[in-house]
Amino acid sequence: DQSVYLDGNLRNRLFEEYGVVGYAYPQCEGDTIFIPAGAPHQVRNIHNCIKVAEDFVSPENLEWCFYQTEEFRHLTDNHTQHEDKLQIKNILYHAVKDCVAVLENYELKNNGRTC
């Protein structure tokens, strides 16, 4: 939730107590790094930079995204992750709306026949 940065000592403790291993990936200009949904991560900027992030929801991970959204709702109201930043329900609504429009357009062009 961006309130704690894990320095070297904390990362070592995380490994010693829980066996969790962290990896460092230096990113250069033009590089892209994919972080799977729900994967804990942190970023340390060495130089001034501009971050561009894109949330992607595929049909395969829709259930997981719903689960995370519900988990975030149980956080306290003043927690930074309390709100639904992914807007999963809006994504699903617009995807279904677009699918219905495609099917209706198909029926119109094919004299009422369905797929």
Side-chain angles (χ1 to χ4, degrees), residues 4-22:
V4 175
Y5 182 80
L6 299 179
D7 61 13
N9 291 333
L10 287 174
R11 290 193 309 273
N12 285 335
R13 183 175 162 200
L14 193 60
F15 174 72
E16 291 168 3
E17 293 181 18
Y18 300 99
V20 174
V21 179

Side-chain angles (χ1 to χ4, degrees), residues 77-110:
D77 288 342
N78 59 353
H79 194 282
T80 58
Q81 298 296 330
H82 178 74
E83 63 187 59
D84 178 13
K85 292 185 179 180
L86 189 56
Q87 297 289 309
I88 190 68
K89 292 178 183 174
N90 284 338
I91 292 171
L92 184 58
Y93 167 77
H94 288 288
V96 170
K97 183 182 73 167
D98 290 346
C99 288
V100 169
V102 167
L103 291 172
E104 288 175 343
N105 191 31
Y106 179 88
E107 283 183 330
L108 285 173
K109 289 183 177 180
N110 293 285

Side-chain angles (χ1 to χ4, degrees), residues 56-65 91-92 95:
F56 174 75
V57 177
S58 69
E60 293 81 13
N61 69 5
L62 187 62
E63 184 176 353
W64 175 249
C65 292
I91 292 171
L92 184 58

Side-chain angles (χ1 to χ4, degrees), residues 24-44:
Y25 295 97
Q27 183 179 11
C28 298
E29 182 179 341
D31 289 350
T32 299
I33 296 178
F34 175 76
I35 302 169
H41 66 282
Q42 65 183 20
V43 176
R44 183 180 72 172

